[in-house]
PDB file of all heavy atoms in Angstrom:
ATOM      1  N   ASN A 214      37.530-117.443 198.445  1.00 53.00           N
ATOM      2  CA  ASN A 214      37.285-118.505 199.427  1.00 53.00           C
ATOM      3  C   ASN A 214      36.117-119.416 199.038  1.00 53.00           C
ATOM      4  O   ASN A 214      35.570-120.132 199.874  1.00 53.00           O
ATOM      5  CB  ASN A 214      37.018-117.888 200.804  1.00 53.00           C
ATOM      6  CG  ASN A 214      38.265-117.250 201.395  1.00 53.00           C
ATOM      7  OD1 ASN A 214      39.379-117.591 201.014  1.00 53.00           O
ATOM      8  ND2 ASN A 214      38.078-116.326 202.322  1.00 53.00           N
ATOM      9  N   GLY A 215      35.728-119.372 197.791  1.00 76.00           N
ATOM     10  CA  GLY A 215      34.690-120.283 197.310  1.00 76.00           C
ATOM     11  C   GLY A 215      33.284-119.855 197.662  1.00 76.00           C
ATOM     12  O   GLY A 215      32.403-120.712 197.866  1.00 76.00           O
ATOM     13  N   HIS A 216      33.050-118.539 197.705  1.00 80.00           N
ATOM     14  CA  HIS A 216      31.732-118.020 198.096  1.00 80.00           C
ATOM     15  C   HIS A 216      30.621-118.543 197.183  1.00 80.00           C
ATOM     16  O   HIS A 216      29.581-119.009 197.659  1.00 80.00           O
ATOM     17  CB  HIS A 216      31.777-116.488 198.058  1.00 80.00           C
ATOM     18  CG  HIS A 216      30.448-115.825 198.212  1.00 80.00           C
ATOM     19  ND1 HIS A 216      29.752-115.819 199.401  1.00 80.00           N
ATOM     20  CD2 HIS A 216      29.672-115.142 197.322  1.00 80.00           C
ATOM     21  CE1 HIS A 216      28.621-115.150 199.241  1.00 80.00           C
ATOM     22  NE2 HIS A 216      28.542-114.735 197.995  1.00 80.00           N
ATOM     23  N   VAL A 217      30.849-118.486 195.871  1.00 82.00           N
ATOM     24  CA  VAL A 217      29.810-118.901 194.929  1.00 82.00           C
ATOM     25  C   VAL A 217      29.469-120.381 195.117  1.00 82.00           C
ATOM     26  O   VAL A 217      28.293-120.763 195.181  1.00 82.00           O
ATOM     27  CB  VAL A 217      30.247-118.614 193.476  1.00 82.00           C
ATOM     28  CG1 VAL A 217      29.305-119.294 192.489  1.00 82.00           C
ATOM     29  CG2 VAL A 217      30.284-117.116 193.218  1.00 82.00           C
ATOM     30  N   ARG A 218      30.489-121.218 195.215  1.00 86.00           N
ATOM     31  CA  ARG A 218      30.243-122.654 195.389  1.00 86.00           C
ATOM     32  C   ARG A 218      29.512-122.935 196.710  1.00 86.00           C
ATOM     33  O   ARG A 218      28.583-123.745 196.762  1.00 86.00           O
ATOM     34  CB  ARG A 218      31.556-123.427 195.352  1.00 86.00           C
ATOM     35  CG  ARG A 218      31.388-124.940 195.515  1.00 86.00           C
ATOM     36  CD  ARG A 218      32.737-125.629 195.534  1.00 86.00           C
ATOM     37  NE  ARG A 218      33.396-125.491 194.257  1.00 86.00           N
ATOM     38  CZ  ARG A 218      33.192-126.296 193.215  1.00 86.00           C
ATOM     39  NH1 ARG A 218      32.341-127.310 193.323  1.00 86.00           N
ATOM     40  NH2 ARG A 218      33.835-126.121 192.081  1.00 86.00           N
ATOM     41  N   ALA A 219      29.944-122.248 197.792  1.00 88.00           N
ATOM     42  CA  ALA A 219      29.324-122.470 199.104  1.00 88.00           C
ATOM     43  C   ALA A 219      27.854-122.080 199.089  1.00 88.00           C
ATOM     44  O   ALA A 219      27.001-122.790 199.637  1.00 88.00           O
ATOM     45  CB  ALA A 219      30.077-121.689 200.182  1.00 88.00           C
ATOM     46  N   VAL A 220      27.539-120.956 198.465  1.00 90.00           N
ATOM     47  CA  VAL A 220      26.147-120.507 198.401  1.00 90.00           C
ATOM     48  C   VAL A 220      25.328-121.443 197.523  1.00 90.00           C
ATOM     49  O   VAL A 220      24.232-121.882 197.900  1.00 90.00           O
ATOM     50  CB  VAL A 220      26.062-119.054 197.874  1.00 90.00           C
ATOM     51  CG1 VAL A 220      24.606-118.684 197.567  1.00 90.00           C
ATOM     52  CG2 VAL A 220      26.652-118.082 198.878  1.00 90.00           C
ATOM     53  N   ALA A 221      25.862-121.772 196.344  1.00 89.00           N
ATOM     54  CA  ALA A 221      25.100-122.556 195.367  1.00 89.00           C
ATOM     55  C   ALA A 221      24.776-123.965 195.866  1.00 89.00           C
ATOM     56  O   ALA A 221      23.807-124.577 195.388  1.00 89.00           O
ATOM     57  CB  ALA A 221      25.852-122.630 194.049  1.00 89.00           C
ATOM     58  N   THR A 222      25.571-124.480 196.798  1.00 90.00           N
ATOM     59  CA  THR A 222      25.319-125.825 197.318  1.00 90.00           C
ATOM     60  C   THR A 222      24.623-125.819 198.679  1.00 90.00           C
ATOM     61  O   THR A 222      24.407-126.883 199.259  1.00 90.00           O
ATOM     62  CB  THR A 222      26.650-126.598 197.442  1.00 90.00           C
ATOM     63  OG1 THR A 222      27.559-125.852 198.272  1.00 90.00           O
ATOM     64  CG2 THR A 222      27.277-126.825 196.075  1.00 90.00           C
ATOM     65  N   SER A 223      24.275-124.639 199.173  1.00 92.00           N
ATOM     66  CA  SER A 223      23.620-124.557 200.482  1.00 92.00           C
ATOM     67  C   SER A 223      22.156-124.979 200.386  1.00 92.00           C
ATOM     68  O   SER A 223      21.527-124.901 199.322  1.00 92.00           O
ATOM     69  CB  SER A 223      23.706-123.135 201.032  1.00 92.00           C
ATOM     70  OG  SER A 223      22.936-122.238 200.247  1.00 92.00           O
ATOM     71  N   ARG A 224      21.602-125.409 201.508  1.00 92.00           N
ATOM     72  CA  ARG A 224      20.200-125.839 201.551  1.00 92.00           C
ATOM     73  C   ARG A 224      19.272-124.692 201.165  1.00 92.00           C
ATOM     74  O   ARG A 224      18.297-124.887 200.427  1.00 92.00           O
ATOM     75  CB  ARG A 224      19.864-126.339 202.962  1.00 92.00           C
ATOM     76  CG  ARG A 224      18.400-126.708 203.181  1.00 92.00           C
ATOM     77  CD  ARG A 224      18.192-127.231 204.603  1.00 92.00           C
ATOM     78  NE  ARG A 224      16.806-127.557 204.870  1.00 92.00           N
ATOM     79  CZ  ARG A 224      15.912-126.678 205.339  1.00 92.00           C
ATOM     80  NH1 ARG A 224      16.279-125.429 205.583  1.00 92.00           N
ATOM     81  NH2 ARG A 224      14.662-127.054 205.561  1.00 92.00           N
ATOM     82  N   ALA A 225      19.558-123.498 201.666  1.00 92.00           N
ATOM     83  CA  ALA A 225      18.685-122.359 201.392  1.00 92.00           C
ATOM     84  C   ALA A 225      18.648-122.048 199.896  1.00 92.00           C
ATOM     85  O   ALA A 225      17.583-121.766 199.326  1.00 92.00           O
ATOM     86  CB  ALA A 225      19.148-121.135 202.180  1.00 92.00           C
ATOM     87  N   PHE A 226      19.812-122.099 199.225  1.00 95.00           N
ATOM     88  CA  PHE A 226      19.867-121.788 197.796  1.00 95.00           C
ATOM     89  C   PHE A 226      19.149-122.862 196.985  1.00 95.00           C
ATOM     90  O   PHE A 226      18.433-122.547 196.023  1.00 95.00           O
ATOM     91  CB  PHE A 226      21.319-121.660 197.338  1.00 95.00           C
ATOM     92  CG  PHE A 226      21.476-121.119 195.945  1.00 95.00           C
ATOM     93  CD1 PHE A 226      21.541-119.753 195.715  1.00 95.00           C
ATOM     94  CD2 PHE A 226      21.547-121.976 194.850  1.00 95.00           C
ATOM     95  CE1 PHE A 226      21.674-119.245 194.424  1.00 95.00           C
ATOM     96  CE2 PHE A 226      21.681-121.488 193.567  1.00 95.00           C
ATOM     97  CZ  PHE A 226      21.750-120.116 193.354  1.00 95.00           C
ATOM     98  N   VAL A 227      19.341-124.113 197.354  1.00 94.00           N
ATOM     99  CA  VAL A 227      18.658-125.201 196.645  1.00 94.00           C
ATOM    100  C   VAL A 227      17.143-125.058 196.784  1.00 94.00           C
ATOM    101  O   VAL A 227      16.391-125.190 195.803  1.00 94.00           O
ATOM    102  CB  VAL A 227      19.137-126.570 197.166  1.00 94.00           C
ATOM    103  CG1 VAL A 227      18.270-127.695 196.594  1.00 94.00           C
ATOM    104  CG2 VAL A 227      20.598-126.796 196.813  1.00 94.00           C
ATOM    105  N   CYS A 228      16.666-124.778 198.001  1.00 95.00           N
ATOM    106  CA  CYS A 228      15.221-124.573 198.207  1.00 95.00           C
ATOM    107  C   CYS A 228      14.723-123.379 197.406  1.00 95.00           C
ATOM    108  O   CYS A 228      13.634-123.419 196.803  1.00 95.00           O
ATOM    109  CB  CYS A 228      14.926-124.360 199.693  1.00 95.00           C
ATOM    110  SG  CYS A 228      15.027-125.856 200.697  1.00 95.00           S
ATOM    111  N   LEU A 229      15.519-122.309 197.390  1.00 96.00           N
ATOM    112  CA  LEU A 229      15.144-121.119 196.635  1.00 96.00           C
ATOM    113  C   LEU A 229      15.036-121.437 195.146  1.00 96.00           C
ATOM    114  O   LEU A 229      14.087-121.009 194.466  1.00 96.00           O
ATOM    115  CB  LEU A 229      16.180-120.017 196.869  1.00 96.00           C
ATOM    116  CG  LEU A 229      15.903-118.649 196.251  1.00 96.00           C
ATOM    117  CD1 LEU A 229      14.656-118.022 196.859  1.00 96.00           C
ATOM    118  CD2 LEU A 229      17.105-117.741 196.441  1.00 96.00           C
ATOM    119  N   THR A 230      15.983-122.206 194.636  1.00 95.00           N
ATOM    120  CA  THR A 230      15.988-122.566 193.216  1.00 95.00           C
ATOM    121  C   THR A 230      14.785-123.428 192.859  1.00 95.00           C
ATOM    122  O   THR A 230      14.112-123.202 191.841  1.00 95.00           O
ATOM    123  CB  THR A 230      17.290-123.308 192.868  1.00 95.00           C
ATOM    124  OG1 THR A 230      18.408-122.479 193.203  1.00 95.00           O
ATOM    125  CG2 THR A 230      17.341-123.649 191.394  1.00 95.00           C
ATOM    126  N   VAL A 231      14.481-124.417 193.700  1.00 96.00           N
ATOM    127  CA  VAL A 231      13.333-125.302 193.455  1.00 96.00           C
ATOM    128  C   VAL A 231      12.027-124.513 193.511  1.00 96.00           C
ATOM    129  O   VAL A 231      11.158-124.653 192.638  1.00 96.00           O
ATOM    130  CB  VAL A 231      13.317-126.461 194.467  1.00 96.00           C
ATOM    131  CG1 VAL A 231      12.019-127.260 194.349  1.00 96.00           C
ATOM    132  CG2 VAL A 231      14.519-127.377 194.247  1.00 96.00           C
ATOM    133  N   ALA A 232      11.877-123.680 194.537  1.00 96.00           N
ATOM    134  CA  ALA A 232      10.646-122.897 194.681  1.00 96.00           C
ATOM    135  C   ALA A 232      10.455-121.953 193.502  1.00 96.00           C
ATOM    136  O   ALA A 232       9.340-121.794 192.977  1.00 96.00           O
ATOM    137  CB  ALA A 232      10.681-122.113 195.998  1.00 96.00           C
ATOM    138  N   SER A 233      11.539-121.323 193.071  1.00 94.00           N
ATOM    139  CA  SER A 233      11.457-120.397 191.945  1.00 94.00           C
ATOM    140  C   SER A 233      11.066-121.119 190.657  1.00 94.00           C
ATOM    141  O   SER A 233      10.218-120.637 189.890  1.00 94.00           O
ATOM    142  CB  SER A 233      12.803-119.685 191.771  1.00 94.00           C
ATOM    143  OG  SER A 233      12.781-118.817 190.665  1.00 94.00           O
ATOM    144  N   ALA A 234      11.674-122.282 190.420  1.00 95.00           N
ATOM    145  CA  ALA A 234      11.379-123.029 189.190  1.00 95.00           C
ATOM    146  C   ALA A 234       9.935-123.524 189.164  1.00 95.00           C
ATOM    147  O   ALA A 234       9.243-123.427 188.138  1.00 95.00           O
ATOM    148  CB  ALA A 234      12.345-124.203 189.049  1.00 95.00           C
ATOM    149  N   LEU A 235       9.454-124.058 190.287  1.00 96.00           N
ATOM    150  CA  LEU A 235       8.068-124.532 190.343  1.00 96.00           C
ATOM    151  C   LEU A 235       7.083-123.393 190.120  1.00 96.00           C
ATOM    152  O   LEU A 235       6.086-123.536 189.402  1.00 96.00           O
ATOM    153  CB  LEU A 235       7.799-125.211 191.688  1.00 96.00           C
ATOM    154  CG  LEU A 235       8.470-126.562 191.927  1.00 96.00           C
ATOM    155  CD1 LEU A 235       8.219-127.037 193.353  1.00 96.00           C
ATOM    156  CD2 LEU A 235       7.969-127.608 190.934  1.00 96.00           C
ATOM    157  N   THR A 236       7.361-122.261 190.759  1.00 95.00           N
ATOM    158  CA  THR A 236       6.463-121.109 190.597  1.00 95.00           C
ATOM    159  C   THR A 236       6.472-120.616 189.161  1.00 95.00           C
ATOM    160  O   THR A 236       5.418-120.299 188.592  1.00 95.00           O
ATOM    161  CB  THR A 236       6.882-119.976 191.545  1.00 95.00           C
ATOM    162  OG1 THR A 236       6.891-120.462 192.883  1.00 95.00           O
ATOM    163  CG2 THR A 236       5.917-118.802 191.446  1.00 95.00           C
ATOM    164  N   ALA A 237       7.657-120.525 188.576  1.00 93.00           N
ATOM    165  CA  ALA A 237       7.753-120.058 187.193  1.00 93.00           C
ATOM    166  C   ALA A 237       6.989-120.978 186.251  1.00 93.00           C
ATOM    167  O   ALA A 237       6.295-120.514 185.336  1.00 93.00           O
ATOM    168  CB  ALA A 237       9.214-119.963 186.780  1.00 93.00           C
ATOM    169  N   PHE A 238       7.121-122.287 186.467  1.00 94.00           N
ATOM    170  CA  PHE A 238       6.388-123.226 185.615  1.00 94.00           C
ATOM    171  C   PHE A 238       4.885-122.986 185.719  1.00 94.00           C
ATOM    172  O   PHE A 238       4.186-122.852 184.704  1.00 94.00           O
ATOM    173  CB  PHE A 238       6.706-124.668 186.005  1.00 94.00           C
ATOM    174  CG  PHE A 238       5.847-125.671 185.285  1.00 94.00           C
ATOM    175  CD1 PHE A 238       6.132-126.021 183.985  1.00 94.00           C
ATOM    176  CD2 PHE A 238       4.738-126.223 185.905  1.00 94.00           C
ATOM    177  CE1 PHE A 238       5.328-126.925 183.300  1.00 94.00           C
ATOM    178  CE2 PHE A 238       3.931-127.124 185.230  1.00 94.00           C
ATOM    179  CZ  PHE A 238       4.226-127.484 183.929  1.00 94.00           C
ATOM    180  N   ALA A 239       4.381-122.936 186.949  1.00 94.00           N
ATOM    181  CA  ALA A 239       2.941-122.754 187.140  1.00 94.00           C
ATOM    182  C   ALA A 239       2.470-121.431 186.569  1.00 94.00           C
ATOM    183  O   ALA A 239       1.441-121.351 185.873  1.00 94.00           O
ATOM    184  CB  ALA A 239       2.601-122.846 188.624  1.00 94.00           C
ATOM    185  N   MET A 240       3.223-120.376 186.831  1.00 89.00           N
ATOM    186  CA  MET A 240       2.801-119.035 186.444  1.00 89.00           C
ATOM    187  C   MET A 240       2.859-118.831 184.938  1.00 89.00           C
ATOM    188  O   MET A 240       1.940-118.277 184.326  1.00 89.00           O
ATOM    189  CB  MET A 240       3.690-118.016 187.157  1.00 89.00           C
ATOM    190  CG  MET A 240       3.190-116.600 187.110  1.00 89.00           C
ATOM    191  SD  MET A 240       4.196-115.574 188.205  1.00 89.00           S
ATOM    192  CE  MET A 240       5.820-115.884 187.532  1.00 89.00           C
ATOM    193  N   PHE A 241       3.947-119.298 184.302  1.00 86.00           N
ATOM    194  CA  PHE A 241       4.072-119.080 182.868  1.00 86.00           C
ATOM    195  C   PHE A 241       3.182-120.025 182.074  1.00 86.00           C
ATOM    196  O   PHE A 241       2.698-119.655 181.001  1.00 86.00           O
ATOM    197  CB  PHE A 241       5.532-119.195 182.450  1.00 86.00           C
ATOM    198  CG  PHE A 241       6.302-117.934 182.705  1.00 86.00           C
ATOM    199  CD1 PHE A 241       6.912-117.709 183.920  1.00 86.00           C
ATOM    200  CD2 PHE A 241       6.372-116.949 181.738  1.00 86.00           C
ATOM    201  CE1 PHE A 241       7.598-116.534 184.175  1.00 86.00           C
ATOM    202  CE2 PHE A 241       7.050-115.770 181.978  1.00 86.00           C
ATOM    203  CZ  PHE A 241       7.668-115.559 183.200  1.00 86.00           C
ATOM    204  N   ALA A 242       2.952-121.233 182.560  1.00 89.00           N
ATOM    205  CA  ALA A 242       1.975-122.105 181.897  1.00 89.00           C
ATOM    206  C   ALA A 242       0.596-121.462 181.938  1.00 89.00           C
ATOM    207  O   ALA A 242      -0.152-121.494 180.947  1.00 89.00           O
ATOM    208  CB  ALA A 242       1.956-123.475 182.564  1.00 89.00           C
ATOM    209  N   ALA A 243       0.257-120.868 183.071  1.00 89.00           N
ATOM    210  CA  ALA A 243      -1.029-120.187 183.192  1.00 89.00           C
ATOM    211  C   ALA A 243      -1.103-118.989 182.252  1.00 89.00           C
ATOM    212  O   ALA A 243      -2.131-118.751 181.597  1.00 89.00           O
ATOM    213  CB  ALA A 243      -1.252-119.748 184.636  1.00 89.00           C
ATOM    214  N   THR A 244      -0.010-118.220 182.170  1.00 85.00           N
ATOM    215  CA  THR A 244      -0.008-117.024 181.325  1.00 85.00           C
ATOM    216  C   THR A 244      -0.084-117.387 179.849  1.00 85.00           C
ATOM    217  O   THR A 244      -0.869-116.803 179.096  1.00 85.00           O
ATOM    218  CB  THR A 244       1.263-116.197 181.603  1.00 85.00           C
ATOM    219  OG1 THR A 244       1.292-115.825 182.983  1.00 85.00           O
ATOM    220  CG2 THR A 244       1.281-114.944 180.752  1.00 85.00           C
ATOM    221  N   ILE A 245       0.735-118.360 179.427  1.00 81.00           N
ATOM    222  CA  ILE A 245       0.762-118.752 178.015  1.00 81.00           C
ATOM    223  C   ILE A 245      -0.585-119.319 177.576  1.00 81.00           C
ATOM    224  O   ILE A 245      -1.026-119.116 176.432  1.00 81.00           O
ATOM    225  CB  ILE A 245       1.876-119.789 177.769  1.00 81.00           C
ATOM    226  CG1 ILE A 245       3.246-119.128 177.867  1.00 81.00           C
ATOM    227  CG2 ILE A 245       1.715-120.477 176.428  1.00 81.00           C
ATOM    228  CD1 ILE A 245       3.549-118.131 176.768  1.00 81.00           C
TER     229      ILE A 245
END
Side-chain angles (χ1 to χ4, degrees):
N214 291 338
H216 170 70
V217 169
R218 180 183 294 275
V220 170
T222 56
S223 67
R224 175 178 178 271
F226 190 88
V227 171
C228 286
L229 185 64
T230 303
V231 172
S233 178
L235 289 174
T236 303
F238 172 79
M240 193 171 56
F241 278 88
T244 301
I245 289 293

